[in-house]
């Protein structure tokens, strides 16, 4: 017998516990999952006696063979031998791979759980056929996982493997595991594929899933939905179809940004895109007024259940973490799924993300829940995002970046350092990142721009940062072909209006608000009427 060629794309790991399987029959559930398109099955049962394990594995093997899908048994080399199935999956505390290989021979598949470069190196050298890399995200299915390594931890292991000279590292297959479900599977795959034009790198061969299939009410439908998601490019990617070209000279670049900005402002006015805000009470009124003034259509709804209907209207969503609670997070999660599934742009505004442990957790939860086209925040907030994205900041930076309120505080970094951090996060998250401040820095990882318009009074009124999120959601919705330039246009519109309003006849923050709203609307009308000869913005 030859080692089977395995399609690892949708790898089901079973679970026989009450919490996941309930009263249902394991073999029935797995049979449905195979009918839905699962490509490999791992029988994982940590508690049953050997007799039960062998009996169940035999039953599973029959249906796997019928569906032409390999069966792998977790931990138990003896059960693999007794049943004659295709392979074994070994955790770090299980039998070592070399011994298992001696017992099972060359024709069986051996997989290994790894969560670090060192473990990956050991497993590959010992001859593992595939690696189960995790834990990607915290999961209720397995609470005693060693470490949550996130997208970045997985990326590091794949990067390490790509750069090894030996064949074993090149041919070893990989799946990720931990918290993968229908709402994040496309983003996980997308973020683990390097952007085109960058160095070639190993990509994941599949995703390993327990609860999103095993605990689903209809395992067949759940599996086929996941398979469809894996087989189709993510909607947030499909919508941005224009290839991004970078002009040759700086002047050409500025000119092209001016043209794009004018076009984007007109597009928002013409399309009146919905700006759906899930935000805190403090800023709702102001943000809704800002949306109207820039030409968008605001809706302030924190109810996740109506997000799917709203997402179909083609607008953008703002998730503002200002007053995050377990209830609001559950609503946010539903909305993220709804917008991600139709490719509607989402802005994450991690308000005060560095201030408390609860907010740091909320940020990690949201970043695991879906794909954000734009993450915007002040310096402290973006540093919290950097940490959630897997950057290791030095202790001194971490301590001094402890946020007190939601205000921005004094700067810790030079402009160059900030620009570098912003572009690195954008590259890692494969999205647009904006750090607001005296000078706004925005990047998609390839192109980084700074915009130094605006006015100090913008920092003295509540909600100006949140309403910029409202603006940018509408801008990205109306200008999906290049989200970075859509954001630049929105920032320019917003900041120039602030600059002109602040330079006018205002007495202070109170009179600044109406003057600012007037200017937002005037700028737009003038651009629409072509009366605005040139937008005087500084890049
Ligand atoms: N192993 P779900 S995480 C079986 O990190 C298992 O090694 C993990 O379950 C690891 O898909 C995990 O329901 C459970 O999140 C994954």
């Amino acid at each position: 017998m030859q080692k089977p060629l395995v399609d690892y794309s949708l790898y089901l790991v079973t679970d026989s516990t009450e919490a996941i399987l309930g009263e249902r029959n394991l073999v029935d559930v797995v049979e449905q999952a195979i009918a839905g398109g699962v490509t490999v099955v791992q029988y994982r049962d940590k508690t049953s006696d050997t007799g039960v394990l062998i009996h169940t594995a035999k039953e599973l093997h029959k249906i796997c063979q019928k569906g032409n899908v390999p069966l792998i048994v977790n931990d138990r080399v003896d059960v693999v031998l007794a049943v004659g199935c295709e392979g074994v999956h070994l955790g770090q505390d299980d039998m070592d791979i070399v011994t298992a290989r001696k017992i099972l021979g060359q024709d069986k598949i051996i997989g290994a759980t790894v969560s670090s470069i060192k473990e990956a190196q050991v497993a590959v050298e010992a001859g593992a056929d595939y690696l189960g890399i995790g834990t990607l995200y915290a999961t209720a299915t397995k609470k005693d996982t060693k470490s949550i390594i996130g997208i970045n931890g997985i990326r590091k292991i794949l990067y390490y493997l790509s750069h090894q000279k030996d064949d074993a590292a090149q041919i070893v297959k990989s799946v990720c595991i931990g918290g993968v479900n229908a709402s994040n599977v496309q983003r996980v795959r997308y973020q683990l594929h390097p952007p085109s034009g960058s160095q070639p790198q190993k990509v994941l061969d599949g995703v390993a899933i327990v609860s999103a299939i095993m605990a689903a009410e209809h395992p067949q439908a759940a599996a086929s939905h996941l398979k469809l998601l894996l087989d189709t490019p993510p909607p947030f990617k499909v919508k941005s179809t224009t290839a991004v070209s970078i002009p040759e000279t700086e002047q050409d670049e500025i000119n092209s940004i001016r043209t794009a900005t004018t076009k984007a402002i007109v597009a928002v006015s013409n399309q009146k895109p919905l700006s759906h805000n899930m935000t805190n009470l403090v800023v709702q009124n102001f943000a809704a007024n800002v949306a109207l003034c820039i030409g968008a259509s605001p809706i302030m709804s924190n109810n996740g259940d109506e997000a799917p209907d709203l997402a179909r209207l083609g607008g953008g969503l703002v998730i503002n973490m200002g007053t995050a609670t377990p209830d609001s997070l559950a609503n946010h999660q539903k909305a993220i799924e709804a917008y991600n599934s139709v490719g509607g742009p989402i802005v994450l505004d991690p308000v005060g993300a560095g201030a408390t442990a609860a907010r740091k957790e909320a940020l990690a939860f949201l970043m695991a829940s879906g794909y954000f086209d734009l993450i915007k925040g002040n310096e402290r907030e973006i540093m919290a995002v950097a940490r959630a994205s897997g950057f290791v900041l030095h202790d001194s930076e971490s301590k001094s970046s402890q946020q007190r309120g939601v205000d921005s505080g004094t700067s810790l970094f030079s402009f160059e350092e900030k620009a570098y951090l912003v572009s690195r996060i954008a590259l890692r998250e494969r999205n647009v990142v904006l750090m607001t401040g005296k000078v706004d820095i925005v990047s998609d990882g390839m192109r980084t721009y700074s915009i130094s318009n605006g006015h100090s009074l913008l920092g003295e009124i509540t909600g100006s940062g949140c309403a910029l999120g409202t603006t940018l959601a509408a801008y990205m919705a109306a200008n999906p072909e290049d989200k970075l330039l859509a954001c630049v246009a929105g920032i320019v519109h917003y900041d120039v209006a602030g600059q002109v309003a602040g330079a006018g006849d205002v007495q202070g923050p109170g009179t600044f608000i109406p003057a600012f709203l007037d200017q937002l609307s005037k700028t737009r009308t003038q651009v629409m009427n072509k009366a605005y000869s040139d937008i005087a913005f500084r890049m």
Side-chain angles (χ1 to χ4, degrees), residues 4-294:
L5 269 181
V6 183
D7 170 0
Y8 287 95
S9 57
L10 186 55
Y11 183 130
L12 175 71
V13 182
T14 72
D15 189 299
S16 309
T17 60
E18 170 71 32
I20 290 194
L21 191 62
E23 297 294 300
R24 297 169 305 166
N25 175 281
L26 178 71
V27 181
D28 288 348
V29 171
V30 173
E31 192 163 22
Q32 289 172 47
I34 293 173
V38 154
T39 58
V40 44
V41 173
Q42 180 193 134
Y43 173 39
R44 180 172 181 273
D45 180 343
K46 292 295 200 189
T47 51
S48 294
D49 291 334
T50 307
V52 175
L53 288 178
I54 291 174
H55 175 78
T56 311
K58 276 188 177 155
E59 295 288 301
L60 287 173
H61 199 209
K62 269 188 230 151
I63 58 162
C64 283
Q65 283 179 314
K66 210 167 83 192
N68 215 6
V69 161
L71 176 69
I72 287 166
V73 174
N74 184 282
D75 186 6
R76 299 290 298 264
V77 172
D78 53 342
V79 176
V80 174
L81 288 174
V83 174
C85 65
E86 287 66 38
V88 70
H89 183 90
L90 301 169
Q92 288 294 319
D93 300 325
D94 301 340
M95 182 186 288
D96 69 276
I97 296 170
V98 173
T99 309
R101 181 63 78 202
K102 268 193 206 136
I103 298 171
L104 291 175
Q106 289 306 320
D107 298 337
K108 297 286 184 206
I109 299 159
I110 299 185
T113 298
V114 300
S115 45
S116 65
I117 288 176
K118 183 83 206 142
E119 286 174 1
Q121 181 190 9
V122 170
V124 169
E125 278 171 15
D129 295 292
Y130 76 90
L131 307 177
I133 313 177
T135 303
L136 174 57
Y137 297 125
T139 170
T141 309
K142 190 175 179 206
K143 297 218 174 67
D144 63 340
T145 55
K146 236 178 22 185
S147 48
I148 312 292
I149 60 173
I151 290 281
N152 199 43
I154 303 217
R155 193 181 274 148
K156 277 184 188 159
I157 294 172
L158 291 174
Y159 185 85
Y160 162 80
L161 294 171
S162 315
H163 291 78
Q164 296 313 295
K165 296 229 161 50
D166 57 310
D167 284 352
Q170 301 314 317
I171 57 176
V172 71
K173 304 290 182 194
S174 61
V175 296
C176 66
I177 185 158
V180 182
N181 56 43
S183 73
N184 63 21
V185 69
Q186 286 188 308
R187 177 186 53 93
V188 164
R189 284 243 316 205
Y190 178 64
Q191 290 183 331
L192 286 169
H193 273 67
S196 54
S198 58
Q199 288 179 345
Q201 193 183 313
K202 226 175 157 61
V203 295
L204 280 182
D205 296 285
V207 291
I209 292 181
V210 184
S211 55
I213 297 175
M214 292 301 298
E217 198 179 336
H218 301 292
Q220 179 172 345
S224 67
H225 182 46
L226 283 157
K227 183 116 184 84
L228 180 73
L229 291 171
L230 284 167
D231 290 345
T232 45
F236 47 79
K237 170 135 186 287
V238 173
K239 282 216 168 170
S240 3
T241 44
T242 312
V244 173
S245 65
I246 300 180
E248 274 180 25
T249 69
E250 202 169 305
Q251 195 51 48
D252 284 351
E253 188 160 14
I254 294 201
N255 288 341
S256 81
I257 293 169
R258 277 186 212 279
T259 313
T261 303
T262 310
K263 221 176 103 212
I265 294 175
V266 173
V268 171
S269 270
N270 285 342
Q271 295 176 33
K272 272 207 159 311
L274 197 70
S275 177
H276 172 186
N277 290 255
M278 302 186 89
T279 189
N280 55 75
L281 287 173
V282 184
V283 300
Q284 284 197 357
N285 178 269
F286 181 62
N289 275 323
V290 165
L292 287 173
C293 290
I294 60 155

Side-chain angles (χ1 to χ4, degrees), residues 391-406:
F391 283 89
V392 180
L393 300 174
H394 293 303
D395 256 9
S396 57
E397 287 160 0
S398 297
K399 277 198 203 93
S400 49
S401 70
Q402 171 61 45
Q403 199 169 0
R404 289 193 185 80
V406 298

